[in-house]
Amino acid sequence: MRWPNWWFCGKWDSAANESFLSGFRRFAFVDQEGPDAAAVPIAAITALQGLRDHGRIQPGQKVLLDGASGGVGTFAIQIAKSFGAEVTAVCSTRNVDTARSLGADHVLDYTQEDFRKSAQHYDLIVGVNAHHSIFDYLRALRPDGTYVAVGGGLPQIFQTMLLAPFLSRIGNKKACFFVANINHKDLVFLKELIEAGKVVSVIDRRYPLSQAADAIRYLEKGHAQGKIVLTVSPNNGA
């Protein structure tokens, strides 16, 4: 069985497969013919579940994606648009054109604009790379809006994990943090979006497996645009 099909179809034959993948959340191991396919599963499922399952996205809603240029963020823009939402992407200057090319209706360069100081309010905010307080995100929501934390700084993640359940009970605004559940059904859903041309993989760099350390060093700089792919040789794994 070719690896791209294995990744697309999500045929997890054992718990070990899922454990292996969860250890490489930011990388995709592929054969040399399928990097675009293999870059999809974990990042795209995280975006999908954050928007659909936890954010309960609806057509016509105003959605803010904070951290829209990485692996999850680039998929989140496209998936949110496929649900008919009006998408505002927050990213750095060098990623503005990429966010627009993926379909974002509005792009905020965080070096120039701060969504927290805007009069705009959103139905759904997804903190893909959240570096603000949970209270900042809640203030930017409409009265019945939802904030979903996906990633970001550890203080912000811990704050959301601790406070979101309580804050969601005392008001109309909802907040949560979640970890993606990799499953076959959602992989098939994403496969259909890809085949329909609604979602594409954004790959920043490709490294042979022998240069995995270089890939990790680049990733740790925090400036990856989309996914980083490790390519496995079919002959020697190098």
Side-chain angles (χ1 to χ4, degrees):
M1 181 179 297
R2 302 191 65 79
W3 281 29
N5 291 331
W6 178 75
W7 276 93
F8 261 130
C9 297
K11 294 183 179 178
W12 314 108
D13 294 327
S14 69
N17 285 335
E18 294 191 44
S19 176
F20 172 81
L21 290 177
S22 66
F24 293 90
R25 291 178 58 85
R26 301 293 296 275
F27 292 94
F29 289 79
V30 299
D31 75 3
Q32 292 182 336
E33 295 182 13
D36 290 354
V40 171
I42 296 175
I45 282 185
T46 299
L48 173 64
Q49 293 177 357
L51 291 164
R52 182 196 64 192
D53 302 343
H54 300 277
R56 301 188 182 280
I57 191 171
Q58 298 295 322
Q61 285 187 330
K62 294 182 181 294
V63 176
L64 178 77
L65 303 174
D66 188 16
S69 61
V72 175
T74 52
F75 283 117
I77 293 172
Q78 301 172 81
I79 293 171
K81 289 302 298 179
S82 77
F83 278 99
E86 181 180 332
V87 177
T88 298
V90 180
C91 59
S92 64
T93 305
R94 76 189 193 105
N95 295 313
V96 167
D97 289 341
T98 298
R100 287 202 181 102
S101 72
L102 294 173
D105 299 285
H106 315 283
V107 182
L108 300 181
D109 176 351
Y110 65 71
T111 68
Q112 304 294 326
E113 301 178 81
D114 189 340
F115 74 88
R116 298 173 297 172
K117 298 178 181 179
S118 170
Q120 182 65 258
H121 290 81
Y122 301 90
D123 300 289
L124 171 61
I125 296 176
V126 178
V128 179
N129 190 17
H131 287 283
H132 302 296
S133 163
I134 186 175
F135 299 104
D136 290 328
Y137 292 111
L138 291 177
R139 279 192 290 269
L141 288 173
R142 288 180 170 178
D144 59 347
T146 300
Y147 167 57
V148 178
V150 175
L154 285 178
Q156 289 77 17
I157 293 300
F158 284 132
Q159 183 190 56
T160 302
M161 293 173 66
L162 291 172
L163 297 181
F166 171 72
L167 295 174
S168 296
R169 290 191 185 99
I170 64 174
N172 292 327
K173 297 179 181 180
K174 305 301 180 184
C176 71
F177 170 77
F178 80 102
V179 176
N181 171 29
I182 311 302
N183 64 84
H184 177 262
K185 182 178 179 180
D186 284 347
L187 285 169
V188 171
F189 181 88
L190 290 166
K191 175 178 180 289
E192 292 171 352
L193 288 181
I194 292 167
E195 289 178 342
K198 295 181 178 180
V199 171
V200 297
S201 298
V202 177
I203 298 177
D204 184 347
R205 296 187 180 184
R206 295 170 172 84
Y207 292 85
L209 186 57
S210 60
Q211 296 178 17
D214 293 334
I216 292 171
R217 281 191 287 270
Y218 176 69
L219 176 63
E220 288 177 340
K221 294 179 181 178
H223 300 300
Q225 296 174 294
K227 298 293 292 181
I228 298 170
V229 173
L230 295 181
T231 303
V232 179
S233 167
N235 297 319
N236 55 25

